Amino acid sequence: MAGFRNGRGRDNRPPQQQPQQAPYGYNAAPPPHPQQQWPQQAPQGGGGHGEPEYFGDPYAAQQQHQQHYAANTPGHTQMFSVNEDPYGAGATYQGGAAPAPTGPRLPWKALLSGIVLRPAPTFLQMRDHAVWGPALTVTFLYGLLAIFGFDKARDEAINATLSTAIPYVLMTGVGFVLAGLILGAVTHTLARQLGGDGTWQPTVGLSMLIMSITDAPRLLFALFLGGENGLVQVLGWITWLAAGALFTAMVSRSHDLPWPKALGASAIQLVALLSLIKLGTL
């Protein structure tokens, strides 16, 4: 009793709860741990304190699933976009596509004078313009007069009756038009095979004009002096060389070719003209 009154036999500190021992043969239960809390999500670009960077938001997958589900439910159809061309806006190839004309179409007077006085700029300006009207008209008129530049053909036309001479002269004019069309088409085809990019209508039309205009001086003297005259023959060679220079310049400007290839494309037409109308012989 004395010990109890003096405080001996009891602890003055508040009693602490002692863990209970499990009976023999059973494992003791682990002590309780404090409640685990999720660390706050770190800002983008880095992990939060106490959390590795490869740990993502534990609610991100759930939110993504909910958005995907909501986007495909009735009334929430997901919008799809058509992707642009991954290779960019590529240019579409067009056969025979040529650069835009450098100027407006020339009237027929400026065209005819330009071929003689300003050939290079005239051919460049008319490279994409058809010239069928002047080409057919000038070539037909040239063919009507060309028959009188050949001695034998002129004698036959003069000695024939009027009813016979007129169809003969008209057929000669049509024949020269057809020959000009065929030879111009051959020149255009050769120019394209050599890498040219011009169109066929300006090439054929301009070639017909060159054929007719360059032979006009020889034809003018042949009407009075005859095709066998020496001056007419010299003029024939000179005008043929001038035709070669104009053909080369025209093909070079119309098809954007260097002059050796342009001359090569005109070679067949030059040889044909040389054999048909050279020096007043048919």
Side-chain angles (χ1 to χ4, degrees):
M1 295 299 289
F4 180 80
R5 286 192 296 266
N6 292 335
R8 294 190 300 268
R10 62 176 298 180
D11 194 355
N12 292 328
R13 292 175 300 176
Q16 295 181 358
Q17 184 178 1
Q18 299 294 331
Q20 297 180 0
Q21 285 187 341
Y24 179 78
Y26 294 91
N27 293 328
H33 295 281
Q35 186 177 0
Q36 185 178 2
Q37 297 180 356
W38 287 100
Q40 295 182 355
Q41 185 178 0
Q44 294 183 354
H49 298 288
E51 177 185 2
E53 290 189 7
Y54 53 81
F55 261 64
D57 187 356
Y59 302 102
Q62 182 178 1
Q63 292 177 357
Q64 183 178 3
H65 176 73
Q66 292 176 354
Q67 292 175 359
H68 176 74
Y69 177 77
N72 292 279
T73 54
H76 298 81
T77 306
Q78 187 176 3
M79 297 178 62
F80 296 92
S81 62
V82 179
N83 294 331
E84 299 293 337
D85 184 8
Y87 299 100
T92 304
Y93 172 78
Q94 297 179 357
T102 57
R105 183 195 303 271
L106 294 174
W108 69 271
K109 291 182 179 180
L111 175 62
L112 298 181
S113 62
I115 291 177
V116 178
L117 302 177
R118 303 175 304 276
T122 299
F123 294 145
L124 182 62
Q125 184 171 349
M126 297 298 292
R127 62 169 292 165
D128 288 336
H129 295 297
V131 292
W132 290 124
L136 295 176
T137 303
V138 172
T139 305
F140 180 72
L141 294 176
Y142 165 74
L144 295 179
L145 298 177
I147 190 175
F148 299 99
F150 305 104
D151 294 339
K152 182 178 179 180
R154 180 178 58 184
D155 293 339
E156 291 178 356
I158 292 176
N159 295 327
T161 60
L162 186 62
S163 59
T164 305
I166 292 179
Y168 185 60
V169 172
L170 293 177
M171 290 299 296
T172 305
V174 174
F176 270 84
V177 171
L178 294 177
L181 290 172
I182 295 173
L183 293 176
V186 171
T187 299
H188 168 74
T189 302
L190 291 177
R192 292 303 296 265
Q193 291 180 352
L194 293 175
D197 59 357
T199 53
W200 72 276
Q201 296 186 56
T203 303
V204 175
L206 291 173
S207 67
M208 294 173 67
L209 289 174
I210 293 172
M211 178 188 71
S212 304
I213 292 175
T214 53
D215 195 50
R218 184 204 64 84
L219 180 60
L220 180 63
F221 283 89
L223 291 176
F224 301 98
L225 302 177
E228 298 296 332
N229 182 271
L231 177 61
V232 173
Q233 294 184 6
V234 172
L235 285 176
W237 282 105
I238 294 175
T239 56
W240 181 78
L241 293 176
L246 290 179
F247 276 125
T248 303
M250 184 270 293
V251 175
S252 177
R253 297 302 189 280
S254 298
H255 288 267
D256 194 18
L257 288 174
W259 73 265
K261 290 186 176 182
L263 180 60
S266 309
I268 293 180
Q269 187 166 7
L270 287 171
V271 172
L273 294 178
L274 187 64
S275 62
L276 290 176
I277 60 177
K278 170 193 169 182
L279 306 179
T281 59
L282 185 61

